Amino acid sequence: MAALTSVSLSFHISNLQTRTNYRQLPIIRASSASASAMPSHESSLSSTSSESTVLTSPVVPFVEPSKTPQNGLVRFVQNTESTVERAIFDFRFLAFLAIGGSLAGSLLCFLNGCIYIIDAYKVYWTSCVKGIHTGQMVLRLVEAIDVYLAGTVMFIFGMGLYGLFITDVSADGSPTADRALKHSSLFGMFALKERPQWMKISSLDELKTKVGHVIVMILLVKMFERSKMVPIATGTDLLSYSVCIFLSSASLYILHALHKSE
């Protein structure tokens, strides 16, 4: 009899516990639903309680996603593309060949011009001693001017290529940031405060324009040199000579007008 009584009591107690647990479930749901309607001080309390529940929740370990073959293929394609672009962009250093050749040719032109000047002095003193002036001295000077202009063209071309393809200094940058101006002087003299205007080349079209202006000057000097060697015997020769002078003056005026518009 006592055994049956204890079994019935334990069954009754377990039934009560299950009922109480079942009755608490709607209360928890109702509390979570009415949390938005609570005042601020009550919501803070509920937030602290929810934080405590979050803190006590088990931590889920981070699982690194597996490296699929597709991601490796995309990475390989991107690396290959960047390598090809960098190799193509590094071909700009081939401009050093043109820069070195232009500067070396400019040096030769300047030296050759000095030789023409020395020859002009020799012709002048020889003609003074003999008393015969043939005009060869003027031709030597004109040839010197022609060669100097050619050297100037090559020098401008070399500097323009360096400014366009090699250096990272902007043409309109501040003089303090220009590395070329630092300690650039001749034994402490002729120090530049900023780059000259002809050295400020920002595009290939501007470089071609500057070189074209100097080439036109070379052609004009060549025309003057040839005109000194052509004899004028008839009126047609004189008319042709006058037309050449007019065309030369017109070309200089057009160049000046184009430069002024820029």
Side-chain angles (χ1 to χ4, degrees):
M1 188 67 183
L4 292 174
T5 304
S6 62
V7 170
S8 62
L9 286 175
S10 61
F11 178 76
H12 183 68
I13 291 170
S14 62
N15 192 11
L16 287 176
Q17 288 178 355
T18 54
R19 287 181 182 179
T20 54
N21 292 332
Y22 178 75
R23 288 175 183 176
Q24 286 177 359
L25 290 175
I27 295 172
I28 295 171
R29 292 178 181 176
S31 62
S32 61
S34 62
S36 58
M38 287 182 179
S40 60
H41 63 277
E42 293 180 359
S43 63
S44 63
L45 293 174
S46 63
S47 63
T48 54
S49 62
S50 62
E51 288 177 359
S52 63
T53 57
V54 170
L55 291 175
T56 56
S57 62
V59 178
V60 179
F62 176 74
V63 180
E64 185 179 359
S66 60
K67 297 180 180 179
T68 60
Q70 185 178 1
N71 293 333
L73 180 61
V74 171
R75 191 179 299 106
F76 174 75
V77 171
Q78 291 177 354
N79 293 334
T80 304
E81 183 180 358
S82 61
T83 303
V84 171
E85 290 179 354
R86 186 167 57 251
I88 293 174
F89 192 74
D90 286 342
F91 267 88
R92 65 192 176 96
F93 294 110
L94 291 177
F96 273 122
L97 300 176
I99 293 169
S102 299
L103 296 180
S106 176
L107 177 61
L108 292 177
C109 289
F110 288 143
L111 294 177
N112 195 12
C114 294
I115 292 173
Y116 280 121
I117 296 295
I118 295 172
D119 289 340
Y121 272 102
K122 290 180 180 180
V123 171
Y124 175 75
W125 290 113
T126 303
S127 60
C128 287
V129 170
K130 294 181 180 179
I132 301 173
H133 298 280
T134 59
Q136 294 295 323
M137 181 197 68
V138 178
L139 291 178
R140 294 291 187 276
L141 293 177
V142 172
E143 289 176 355
I145 293 173
D146 187 15
V147 175
Y148 284 145
L149 287 174
T152 305
V153 168
M154 301 191 74
F155 181 69
I156 293 175
F157 184 73
M159 293 294 294
L161 286 180
Y162 178 78
L164 290 176
F165 295 101
I166 304 299
T167 186
D168 57 348
V169 178
S170 176
D172 299 329
S174 60
T176 56
D178 197 347
R179 299 185 300 269
L181 295 179
K182 295 179 181 179
H183 307 289
S184 177
S185 62
L186 184 63
F187 303 107
M189 301 180 293
F190 312 109
L192 293 175
K193 295 182 179 179
E194 61 178 2
R195 291 198 179 195
Q197 292 295 328
W198 62 268
M199 292 180 64
K200 294 180 180 179
I201 299 173
S202 58
S203 63
L204 193 59
D205 292 334
E206 188 176 357
L207 175 61
K208 291 189 294 185
T209 302
K210 293 181 181 296
V211 172
H213 289 178
V214 184
I215 289 175
V216 171
M217 290 298 301
I218 292 175
L219 294 176
L220 293 178
V221 173
K222 280 290 187 183
M223 193 277 297
F224 177 70
E225 180 184 353
R226 294 293 182 269
S227 65
K228 293 293 292 182
M229 296 185 294
V230 175
I232 299 176
T234 61
T236 306
D237 297 337
L238 183 60
L239 179 62
S240 301
Y241 186 71
S242 302
V243 170
C244 289
I245 294 175
F246 174 76
L247 293 176
S248 301
S249 303
S251 62
L252 286 176
Y253 176 77
I254 292 172
L255 283 177
H256 177 71
L258 291 175
H259 184 70
K260 188 176 181 180
S261 64
E262 291 176 358

